[in-house]
Amino acid sequence: MSMVESLAHEFVEYVPDELVDGVLYVSIPYATVVHRCCCGCGNEVVTPLSPTDWQLTFDGETVSLHPSIGNWSFACQSHYWIRRNQVRWAERWSPTQIAAGRSRDRLDKAEQFAEPYRDEWDTAGRRDTASIWRRLIAWLRGSG
Ligand SMILES: [Zn+2]
């Protein structure tokens, strides 16, 4: 069991059954990145790519993943960043920090899914509809 300090990336279509330590498998067709936990515990870490999950940056030579990878569901509870194929270890989080991080994740997701412009439009639309109804009712009552 040895900690991985740097990774090699491999662009694949399908993730192989047997993963090799220190290799980051990037599947663009499936928008997924898979690697073995960098602590050496052997667990498979799956990081889906989407605007609300992880974002992958490929600078032509190296890859980076954002945000950090927190393997809270594994016994190792490892937490690290992958920046330009380098593993940057974070301090071990306390259970409180983990809970806070998780709720922040949910908050981030909620914010990502919110569409402020459409909300604005919806509010305006509802107001317009309400006033049309009021005018129509007034007209029907013969007072419009
Ligand atoms: Zn691990």
mmCIF file of all heavy atoms in Angstrom, residues 38-62:
data_model
loop_
_atom_site.group_PDB
_atom_site.id
_atom_site.type_symbol
_atom_site.label_atom_id
_atom_site.label_comp_id
_atom_site.label_asym_id
_atom_site.label_seq_id
_atom_site.Cartn_x
_atom_site.Cartn_y
_atom_site.Cartn_z
ATOM 1 N N CYS A 38 -5.811 7.194 -4.610
ATOM 2 C CA CYS A 38 -4.383 7.522 -4.585
ATOM 3 C C CYS A 38 -3.702 7.154 -3.271
ATOM 4 O O CYS A 38 -2.476 7.245 -3.169
ATOM 5 C CB CYS A 38 -4.189 9.000 -4.897
ATOM 6 S SG CYS A 38 -4.602 9.379 -6.612
ATOM 7 N N CYS A 39 -4.467 6.735 -2.270
ATOM 8 C CA CYS A 39 -3.838 6.345 -1.004
ATOM 9 C C CYS A 39 -3.264 4.936 -1.099
ATOM 10 O O CYS A 39 -2.504 4.521 -0.241
ATOM 11 C CB CYS A 39 -4.829 6.448 0.151
ATOM 12 S SG CYS A 39 -5.835 4.974 0.401
ATOM 13 N N GLY A 40 -3.660 4.216 -2.146
ATOM 14 C CA GLY A 40 -3.152 2.871 -2.321
ATOM 15 C C GLY A 40 -4.069 1.792 -1.764
ATOM 16 O O GLY A 40 -3.718 0.617 -1.741
ATOM 17 N N CYS A 41 -5.266 2.180 -1.324
ATOM 18 C CA CYS A 41 -6.195 1.221 -0.722
ATOM 19 C C CYS A 41 -6.836 0.307 -1.763
ATOM 20 O O CYS A 41 -7.449 -0.705 -1.411
ATOM 21 C CB CYS A 41 -7.273 1.942 0.082
ATOM 22 S SG CYS A 41 -8.439 2.889 -0.928
ATOM 23 N N GLY A 42 -6.713 0.666 -3.033
ATOM 24 C CA GLY A 42 -7.220 -0.201 -4.098
ATOM 25 C C GLY A 42 -8.661 0.076 -4.500
ATOM 26 O O GLY A 42 -9.157 -0.503 -5.462
ATOM 27 N N ASN A 43 -9.345 0.951 -3.769
ATOM 28 C CA ASN A 43 -10.730 1.282 -4.119
ATOM 29 C C ASN A 43 -10.792 2.044 -5.441
ATOM 30 O O ASN A 43 -9.911 2.847 -5.750
ATOM 31 C CB ASN A 43 -11.377 2.123 -3.019
ATOM 32 C CG ASN A 43 -11.910 1.277 -1.887
ATOM 33 O OD1 ASN A 43 -12.689 0.347 -2.109
ATOM 34 N ND2 ASN A 43 -11.478 1.577 -0.681
ATOM 35 N N GLU A 44 -11.880 1.785 -6.166
ATOM 36 C CA GLU A 44 -12.079 2.429 -7.451
ATOM 37 C C GLU A 44 -12.816 3.751 -7.221
ATOM 38 O O GLU A 44 -13.873 3.768 -6.595
ATOM 39 C CB GLU A 44 -12.945 1.499 -8.305
ATOM 40 C CG GLU A 44 -12.837 1.732 -9.775
ATOM 41 C CD GLU A 44 -13.580 0.651 -10.544
ATOM 42 O OE1 GLU A 44 -13.057 -0.482 -10.634
ATOM 43 O OE2 GLU A 44 -14.670 0.949 -11.038
ATOM 44 N N VAL A 45 -12.252 4.831 -7.703
ATOM 45 C CA VAL A 45 -12.869 6.148 -7.543
ATOM 46 C C VAL A 45 -13.463 6.569 -8.884
ATOM 47 O O VAL A 45 -12.749 6.694 -9.875
ATOM 48 C CB VAL A 45 -11.830 7.197 -7.070
ATOM 49 C CG1 VAL A 45 -12.486 8.554 -6.871
ATOM 50 C CG2 VAL A 45 -11.142 6.738 -5.788
ATOM 51 N N VAL A 46 -14.764 6.743 -8.897
ATOM 52 C CA VAL A 46 -15.460 7.137 -10.121
ATOM 53 C C VAL A 46 -15.876 8.595 -9.980
ATOM 54 O O VAL A 46 -16.565 8.959 -9.033
ATOM 55 C CB VAL A 46 -16.704 6.248 -10.363
ATOM 56 C CG1 VAL A 46 -17.419 6.652 -11.652
ATOM 57 C CG2 VAL A 46 -16.297 4.778 -10.409
ATOM 58 N N THR A 47 -15.428 9.419 -10.889
ATOM 59 C CA THR A 47 -15.779 10.835 -10.868
ATOM 60 C C THR A 47 -16.471 11.201 -12.177
ATOM 61 O O THR A 47 -15.813 11.401 -13.191
ATOM 62 C CB THR A 47 -14.525 11.711 -10.661
ATOM 63 O OG1 THR A 47 -13.487 11.231 -11.535
ATOM 64 C CG2 THR A 47 -14.015 11.643 -9.244
ATOM 65 N N PRO A 48 -17.809 11.244 -12.149
ATOM 66 C CA PRO A 48 -18.533 11.620 -13.364
ATOM 67 C C PRO A 48 -18.250 13.076 -13.735
ATOM 68 O O PRO A 48 -18.078 13.915 -12.845
ATOM 69 C CB PRO A 48 -20.003 11.422 -12.988
ATOM 70 C CG PRO A 48 -20.051 11.355 -11.507
ATOM 71 C CD PRO A 48 -18.691 10.999 -11.008
ATOM 72 N N LEU A 49 -18.199 13.347 -15.014
ATOM 73 C CA LEU A 49 -17.959 14.713 -15.485
ATOM 74 C C LEU A 49 -19.288 15.345 -15.888
ATOM 75 O O LEU A 49 -20.019 14.789 -16.692
ATOM 76 C CB LEU A 49 -17.012 14.703 -16.697
ATOM 77 C CG LEU A 49 -15.637 14.066 -16.497
ATOM 78 C CD1 LEU A 49 -14.873 14.049 -17.809
ATOM 79 C CD2 LEU A 49 -14.851 14.809 -15.418
ATOM 80 N N SER A 50 -19.584 16.457 -15.262
ATOM 81 C CA SER A 50 -20.771 17.227 -15.629
ATOM 82 C C SER A 50 -20.617 18.594 -14.988
ATOM 83 O O SER A 50 -19.777 18.767 -14.102
ATOM 84 C CB SER A 50 -22.049 16.546 -15.135
ATOM 85 O OG SER A 50 -22.367 16.959 -13.818
ATOM 86 N N PRO A 51 -21.427 19.559 -15.416
ATOM 87 C CA PRO A 51 -21.288 20.896 -14.815
ATOM 88 C C PRO A 51 -21.497 20.891 -13.302
ATOM 89 O O PRO A 51 -21.041 21.802 -12.617
ATOM 90 C CB PRO A 51 -22.378 21.711 -15.514
ATOM 91 C CG PRO A 51 -22.573 21.015 -16.815
ATOM 92 C CD PRO A 51 -22.379 19.550 -16.522
ATOM 93 N N THR A 52 -22.199 19.882 -12.761
ATOM 94 C CA THR A 52 -22.429 19.856 -11.319
ATOM 95 C C THR A 52 -21.662 18.737 -10.624
ATOM 96 O O THR A 52 -21.812 18.526 -9.423
ATOM 97 C CB THR A 52 -23.926 19.699 -10.999
ATOM 98 O OG1 THR A 52 -24.399 18.536 -11.673
ATOM 99 C CG2 THR A 52 -24.705 20.897 -11.441
ATOM 100 N N ASP A 53 -20.845 17.979 -11.365
ATOM 101 C CA ASP A 53 -20.002 16.974 -10.728
ATOM 102 C C ASP A 53 -18.559 17.440 -10.824
ATOM 103 O O ASP A 53 -18.214 18.449 -10.260
ATOM 104 C CB ASP A 53 -20.233 15.606 -11.382
ATOM 105 C CG ASP A 53 -21.618 15.063 -11.058
ATOM 106 O OD1 ASP A 53 -21.903 14.859 -9.874
ATOM 107 O OD2 ASP A 53 -22.400 14.860 -11.993
ATOM 108 N N TRP A 54 -17.737 16.725 -11.584
ATOM 109 C CA TRP A 54 -16.348 17.152 -11.740
ATOM 110 C C TRP A 54 -16.132 17.732 -13.126
ATOM 111 O O TRP A 54 -16.816 17.372 -14.087
ATOM 112 C CB TRP A 54 -15.394 15.979 -11.523
ATOM 113 C CG TRP A 54 -15.139 15.728 -10.076
ATOM 114 C CD1 TRP A 54 -14.150 16.252 -9.314
ATOM 115 C CD2 TRP A 54 -15.906 14.890 -9.207
ATOM 116 N NE1 TRP A 54 -14.262 15.801 -8.017
ATOM 117 C CE2 TRP A 54 -15.328 14.974 -7.931
ATOM 118 C CE3 TRP A 54 -17.045 14.092 -9.390
ATOM 119 C CZ2 TRP A 54 -15.838 14.277 -6.838
ATOM 120 C CZ3 TRP A 54 -17.551 13.403 -8.302
ATOM 121 C CH2 TRP A 54 -16.947 13.501 -7.046
ATOM 122 N N GLN A 55 -15.175 18.624 -13.205
ATOM 123 C CA GLN A 55 -14.765 19.174 -14.492
ATOM 124 C C GLN A 55 -13.313 18.767 -14.735
ATOM 125 O O GLN A 55 -12.487 18.813 -13.831
ATOM 126 C CB GLN A 55 -14.890 20.702 -14.482
ATOM 127 C CG GLN A 55 -16.330 21.180 -14.513
ATOM 128 C CD GLN A 55 -16.875 21.421 -13.112
ATOM 129 O OE1 GLN A 55 -16.343 22.224 -12.361
ATOM 130 N NE2 GLN A 55 -17.933 20.706 -12.743
ATOM 131 N N LEU A 56 -13.086 18.340 -15.949
ATOM 132 C CA LEU A 56 -11.764 17.890 -16.354
ATOM 133 C C LEU A 56 -11.119 18.960 -17.214
ATOM 134 O O LEU A 56 -11.757 19.513 -18.108
ATOM 135 C CB LEU A 56 -11.895 16.589 -17.160
ATOM 136 C CG LEU A 56 -10.600 16.000 -17.710
ATOM 137 C CD1 LEU A 56 -9.936 15.122 -16.657
ATOM 138 C CD2 LEU A 56 -10.878 15.189 -18.961
ATOM 139 N N THR A 57 -9.870 19.253 -16.926
ATOM 140 C CA THR A 57 -9.116 20.168 -17.773
ATOM 141 C C THR A 57 -7.942 19.398 -18.361
ATOM 142 O O THR A 57 -7.173 18.776 -17.623
ATOM 143 C CB THR A 57 -8.576 21.357 -16.941
ATOM 144 O OG1 THR A 57 -9.651 21.914 -16.202
ATOM 145 C CG2 THR A 57 -7.974 22.416 -17.849
ATOM 146 N N PHE A 58 -7.830 19.427 -19.663
ATOM 147 C CA PHE A 58 -6.700 18.814 -20.356
ATOM 148 C C PHE A 58 -5.947 19.938 -21.045
ATOM 149 O O PHE A 58 -6.478 20.604 -21.919
ATOM 150 C CB PHE A 58 -7.210 17.784 -21.381
ATOM 151 C CG PHE A 58 -6.133 17.182 -22.233
ATOM 152 C CD1 PHE A 58 -5.001 16.596 -21.661
ATOM 153 C CD2 PHE A 58 -6.245 17.181 -23.629
ATOM 154 C CE1 PHE A 58 -4.004 16.038 -22.450
ATOM 155 C CE2 PHE A 58 -5.254 16.618 -24.422
ATOM 156 C CZ PHE A 58 -4.136 16.046 -23.837
ATOM 157 N N ASP A 59 -4.720 20.192 -20.592
ATOM 158 C CA ASP A 59 -3.959 21.322 -21.149
ATOM 159 C C ASP A 59 -3.082 20.907 -22.319
ATOM 160 O O ASP A 59 -2.217 21.662 -22.759
ATOM 161 C CB ASP A 59 -3.144 22.020 -20.053
ATOM 162 C CG ASP A 59 -2.039 21.111 -19.477
ATOM 163 O OD1 ASP A 59 -1.811 20.015 -20.014
ATOM 164 O OD2 ASP A 59 -1.415 21.521 -18.477
ATOM 165 N N GLY A 60 -3.293 19.708 -22.824
ATOM 166 C CA GLY A 60 -2.489 19.212 -23.943
ATOM 167 C C GLY A 60 -1.415 18.251 -23.482
ATOM 168 O O GLY A 60 -0.907 17.451 -24.262
ATOM 169 N N GLU A 61 -1.059 18.325 -22.205
ATOM 170 C CA GLU A 61 -0.035 17.428 -21.652
ATOM 171 C C GLU A 61 -0.507 16.728 -20.386
ATOM 172 O O GLU A 61 -0.213 15.565 -20.162
ATOM 173 C CB GLU A 61 1.245 18.216 -21.333
ATOM 174 C CG GLU A 61 2.029 18.582 -22.571
ATOM 175 C CD GLU A 61 3.270 19.388 -22.250
ATOM 176 O OE1 GLU A 61 3.593 19.554 -21.048
ATOM 177 O OE2 GLU A 61 3.907 19.876 -23.200
ATOM 178 N N THR A 62 -1.220 17.486 -19.558
ATOM 179 C CA THR A 62 -1.653 16.930 -18.276
ATOM 180 C C THR A 62 -3.141 17.189 -18.070
ATOM 181 O O THR A 62 -3.733 18.013 -18.761
ATOM 182 C CB THR A 62 -0.875 17.566 -17.104
ATOM 183 O OG1 THR A 62 -1.177 18.963 -17.075
ATOM 184 C CG2 THR A 62 0.618 17.348 -17.231
#
